[in-house]
């Protein structure tokens, strides 16, 4: 098994770290990684969330995309022979704005090799709300809108299913994965409990959709760093089921700073 971190971020992340990509890659080499995917958050439509300050922190602006692509491409060339670097994006599934994301893929061009399609946003109080901002924001903006955790979780997985089907329509040359499937559990220890068995039921429904649409899974370990989560965003049983079906499972640290690289690798391995 190749040691591969398939989900990482850069200085282009507004809620990340200003370190240059070389620092991340030096750390990856220290840890023995042979393959590395750069997967920065893709631009969002203007005013996608109502809070202008939060909007500024979520992702690079659209006019920064060419700079990011050139930055990642140049680093890929410079690191050739030391580590296999893939240029990618963490591409949000934007319900009702799919054409915007498709235009981002077109704008990125032939240098784009991978996409991680993630669901970070759901309709909520006042418009689109982040699933993973803060527990208090989740409670006010999502639980306050849907009324119960069962309804929030079902809405989230409805969007994930739509994301999987939409991702299947993206260019076939791209290596494609669905991002951090259980992100909805990020604040589980600070919110009312999710009904027993609901998440497993929805994850099982996803398995044939992933296979049909040719998507892999981002086995994202960032939840292990979150006090209110304490677990990876993909459960072990789900990885086993994916492997039976030939669905690729790719480790992802989701590192937003160099020292987060390698989180949970031993568990994944």
């Amino acid at each position: 098994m190749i040691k591969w971190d398939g989900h990482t971020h850069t200085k282009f992340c507004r809620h990340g770290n200003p370190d240059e990509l070389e620092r991340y890659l030096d750390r990856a080499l220290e840890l023995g990684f042979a393959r590395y995917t750069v997967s920065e958050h893709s631009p969002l439509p203007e005013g996608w969330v109502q809070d202008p300050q939060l909007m500024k922190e979520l992702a690079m602006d659209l006019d920064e995309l060419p700079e990011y692509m050139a930055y990642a491409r140049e680093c890929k060339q410079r690191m050739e022979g030391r580590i296999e670097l893939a240029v990618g994006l963490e591409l949000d599934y934007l319900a009702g704005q799919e054409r915007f994301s498709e235009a981002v893929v077109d704008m990125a061009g032939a240098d784009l090799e991978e996409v991680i399609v993630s669901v970070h946003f759901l309709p909520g109080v006042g418009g689109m709300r982040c699933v993973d901002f803060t527990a208090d924001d989740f409670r006010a903006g999502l639980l306050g809108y849907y009324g119960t955790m069962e309804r929030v979780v079902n809405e989230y997985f409805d969007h994930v299913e739509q994301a999987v089907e939409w991702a299947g329509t993206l260019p076939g040359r791209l290596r494609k994965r669905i991002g951090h499937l259980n992100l909805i559990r990020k604040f589980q220890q600070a919110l009312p409990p999710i009904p027993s068995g609901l998440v497993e039921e929805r994850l099982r429904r996803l398995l044939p959709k992933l296979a049909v649409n040719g998507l892999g899974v981002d086995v994202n370990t960032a939840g292990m760093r979150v006090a209110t989560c304490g677990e990876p965003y993909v459960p072990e049983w789900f990885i086993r089921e994916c492997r039976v079906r030939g669905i690729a499972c790719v480790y992802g640290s989701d590192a937003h700073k160099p020292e987060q690289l390698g989180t949970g690798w031993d568990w994944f391995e």
Side-chain angles (χ1 to χ4, degrees), residues 12 14-15 40-65 89-95 97 99-101 103-104 107 118-121 128-130 132:
F12 285 82
R14 299 287 181 79
H15 54 274
E40 192 50 79
H41 292 287
S42 62
L44 295 168
E46 187 174 352
W48 178 247
V49 298
Q50 298 302 306
D51 182 340
Q53 184 56 45
L54 178 59
M55 183 69 195
K56 290 178 183 177
E57 297 175 8
L58 292 175
M60 72 179 99
D61 293 334
L62 190 59
D63 60 8
E64 292 179 283
L65 181 61
L89 285 169
E90 183 173 9
L91 193 66
D92 280 291
Y93 174 68
L94 307 173
Q97 289 273 15
R99 288 187 178 179
F100 179 90
S101 295
V104 167
M107 187 175 175
S118 298
V119 175
H120 290 106
F121 306 101
M128 298 305 293
R129 306 294 294 238
C130 292
D132 61 334

Side-chain angles (χ1 to χ4, degrees), residues 64-248:
E64 292 179 283
L65 181 61
E67 183 184 353
Y68 162 72
M69 292 298 297
Y71 178 74
R73 181 180 64 246
E74 190 275 332
C75 197
K76 174 186 176 76
Q77 293 167 348
R78 194 166 62 254
M79 297 299 292
E80 189 173 357
R82 296 184 63 202
I83 191 168
E84 180 188 342
L85 193 151
V87 179
L89 285 169
E90 183 173 9
L91 193 66
D92 280 291
Y93 174 68
L94 307 173
Q97 289 273 15
E98 292 89 348
R99 288 187 178 179
F100 179 90
S101 295
E102 290 161 8
V104 167
V105 171
D106 289 343
M107 187 175 175
D111 288 326
L112 184 64
E113 300 169 87
E114 297 186 21
V115 290
I116 299 169
V117 178
S118 298
V119 175
H120 290 106
F121 306 101
L122 295 178
V125 175
M128 298 305 293
R129 306 294 294 238
C130 292
V131 169
D132 61 334
F133 182 35
T134 67
D136 287 343
D137 187 76
F138 189 111
R139 190 178 294 105
L142 292 172
L143 193 53
Y145 184 81
Y146 293 96
T148 66
M149 288 299 294
E150 180 178 11
R151 291 184 63 191
V152 180
V153 170
N154 276 320
E155 183 73 11
Y156 171 77
F157 279 106
D158 286 349
H159 277 66
V160 171
E161 289 185 4
Q162 293 163 23
V164 169
E165 291 173 0
W166 172 74
T169 70
L170 295 174
R173 64 178 178 79
L174 297 172
R175 191 156 48 192
K176 295 176 277 189
R177 296 186 289 285
I178 191 75
H180 40 57
L181 283 170
N182 271 357
L183 186 65
I184 196 69
R185 291 170 64 92
K186 180 175 181 178
F187 305 119
Q188 61 179 325
Q189 296 177 29
L191 295 170
I194 296 170
S196 176
L198 177 59
V199 171
E200 180 173 345
E201 175 191 336
R202 296 305 305 257
L203 286 175
R204 288 193 182 279
R205 274 177 48 173
L206 271 177
L207 287 163
K209 294 179 183 293
L210 290 166
V212 166
N213 287 283
L215 259 68
V217 172
D218 166 41
V219 183
N220 192 298
T221 59
M224 299 172 82
R225 302 192 297 264
V226 179
T228 55
C229 183
E231 64 186 27
Y233 289 132
V234 179
E236 290 182 31
W237 69 264
F238 189 81
I239 298 171
R240 289 193 292 270
E241 292 293 333
C242 285
R243 287 172 63 80
V244 167
R245 291 166 171 79
I247 297 166

